[in-house]
Amino acid sequence: MIEHTFPIAEQLIFNALQLTQRLFQQLNQEADSLVRTPQSGFINTVANNKRDLVTQLDLFNKQLEQILAAEQLPHSQHGINSYFQMAMIANLSSDTMKINWENMMSLCAECKHLNEKNGASIDILARNNKRTLHILKGKSEVVTSYGRDGSTISEFQNSTLVSV
């Protein structure tokens, strides 16, 4: 059966590597934009592009799961390694596919790290914007601190600088 699934798997992994490379580029563009003055329009465009790429990668994952199931292998790294071994036993050259897989997995780890970093930056910007809007609108902020025993203490603080 691997003789039938191998060319499909090879193409799927190649395509997924390209998608992952595009996702990495989008994440780098997002990170660059967050370092400079963030522009919400550009960040929204990047977010939409990332969502489309992730949707395509999810489809790849489902297709790969079907290929592994056809070979009665688990949908895991162990299953992929077993697939490569089966290809080698069947005298199918899987060297390029293995390299593409390893590159994709490495790039996925970098994407995950960069996405978490970008998300943290966006969260900080959103909290700062929310706090600034509260100050400008004259709303009180709740300040939470901790007592000696570790219990939380919430105090209302009115530090309005400008009321709009």
Side-chain angles (χ1 to χ4, degrees), residues 65-95:
E65 182 177 15
Q66 291 173 346
I67 287 173
L68 292 172
E71 300 297 337
Q72 300 177 356
L73 296 171
H75 184 229
S76 64
Q77 184 62 47
H78 176 71
I80 291 293
N81 292 338
S82 297
Y83 188 84
F84 292 146
Q85 288 175 347
M86 289 173 64
M88 187 178 72
I89 291 168
N91 290 325
L92 297 169
S93 177
S94 63
D95 292 342

Side-chain angles (χ1 to χ4, degrees), residues 51-108:
R51 187 175 29 257
D52 292 343
L53 291 167
V54 168
T55 299
Q56 292 175 51
L57 285 167
D58 282 340
L59 178 60
F60 155 75
N61 191 42
K62 290 175 186 171
Q63 292 169 329
L64 183 64
E65 182 177 15
Q66 291 173 346
I67 287 173
L68 292 172
E71 300 297 337
Q72 300 177 356
L73 296 171
H75 184 229
S76 64
Q77 184 62 47
H78 176 71
I80 291 293
N81 292 338
S82 297
Y83 188 84
F84 292 146
Q85 288 175 347
M86 289 173 64
M88 187 178 72
I89 291 168
N91 290 325
L92 297 169
S93 177
S94 63
D95 292 342
T96 301
M97 185 167 54
K98 284 166 70 171
I99 290 169
N100 287 343
W101 176 263
E102 290 167 3
N103 289 341
M104 182 184 69
M105 295 309 292
S106 174
L107 203 51
C108 281

Side-chain angles (χ1 to χ4, degrees), residues 4-24:
H4 299 292
T5 62
F6 184 81
I8 298 166
E10 189 173 38
Q11 188 62 49
L12 282 174
I13 290 172
F14 176 77
N15 292 345
L17 175 59
Q18 291 182 325
L19 290 171
T20 307
Q21 289 167 339
R22 288 176 41 207
L23 180 60
F24 186 69

